[in-house]
Amino acid sequence: MLLMATLLDVAQRFRSLHVPGTPLVLPNAWDGASACVVADAGAVAIATTSAGVAWSLGRGDGDHMTRDQALGAIARITAVVDVPVTADIERGYATGPDGVAETVRGVLAAGAVGINLEDTLRPVAEQAERIAAARRAADETGIPLFINARIDTHRLPPGDHTAWLDETLTRARAYAAAGADGIFVLGTPDAETVRALVGSQPLPVNVLAGPGALPVSELAEAGAARISAGSSIAEAAYGLVRRAARELLENGTTTTLEGGFDYATLNALLLAEPAH
């Protein structure tokens, strides 16, 4: 666990990594082992995926974890890596702003320096209150927690891009006023849409990498400041489990497993002690 003085330094460093055009690239992790592998691959920061964490607990995504389960996963990750960690806390594991504030205090106590907080298309003013509560809770500790406001306009009926953009920008501006530090938009936007998001509201823009998305270079050119894998790496990992299991059970072979970590290398990585 990081000391608060050290956590302040980590939080400031994490905040500085959000540069439009030179984005922070985040391969999302879901447990201590995946976090160690991501850090060893060269990631300068790690984001958690709530879906991956939930799946690792045998639960579905979408607020089916308890606050304590989510905070426990965050603490296990921060304990084994030396890079900043930002935590996906879904809707905040709370019904109201006070509960969101309590979750934020728990996130900071667990050693993370950022959060994703999704709006689930709740009324804008209501979500702004939740973001403001998160901001106050973090500021009271003296740690500049990076609040990444996820805007769930991907849930709107498809087809009307103008309405989608208008609603997304309305929410982004309100969340900025409430104390958010960035916005996170799901889906696979084209470069023109990313440019519109970047140029029409004040916060750094986070978009997804993964199947169907533009490559990092094109998203960077469009002005993205943060690019996340979301749940896609966890999905791929569990896809490998399914393919390997089926091959073994149906064919009696294991070719699917070729190219994986060898035991000694992975074990040595997990035995290494983080500097903190």
Side-chain angles (χ1 to χ4, degrees), residues 6 9 82-83 145 147 174 180 218 239:
T6 305
D9 294 337
D82 292 321
V83 297
L145 181 79
I147 300 175
E218 293 185 33

Side-chain angles (χ1 to χ4, degrees), residues 119-146:
D119 67 6
T120 62
L121 289 186
R122 69 174 73 242
V124 175
E126 185 180 326
Q127 182 66 6
E129 288 183 13
R130 296 166 76 87
I131 291 170
R135 178 82 280 147
R136 286 192 299 271
D139 289 350
E140 286 168 2
T141 70
I143 303 298
L145 181 79
F146 192 99

Side-chain angles (χ1 to χ4, degrees), residues 11-106:
Q12 291 172 334
R13 183 166 82 250
F14 180 68
R15 180 175 292 271
S16 73
L17 296 172
H18 295 76
V19 180
T22 310
L24 170 62
V25 180
L26 293 168
N28 297 64
W30 58 94
D31 60 10
S34 61
C36 285
V37 171
V38 168
D40 185 64
V44 297
I46 290 173
T48 70
T49 160
S50 66
V53 173
W55 297 335
S56 75
L57 298 173
R59 294 177 175 269
D61 188 30
D63 276 326
H64 294 291
M65 285 187 291
T66 66
R67 176 191 287 135
D68 287 345
Q69 287 173 324
L71 295 178
I74 296 165
R76 288 190 291 274
I77 288 172
T78 62
V80 297
V81 297
D82 292 321
V83 297
V85 174
T86 181
D88 180 351
I89 61 168
E90 303 188 75
R91 305 172 193 175
Y93 305 109
T95 56
D98 289 345
V100 173
E102 183 176 349
T103 299
V104 164
R105 287 188 284 269

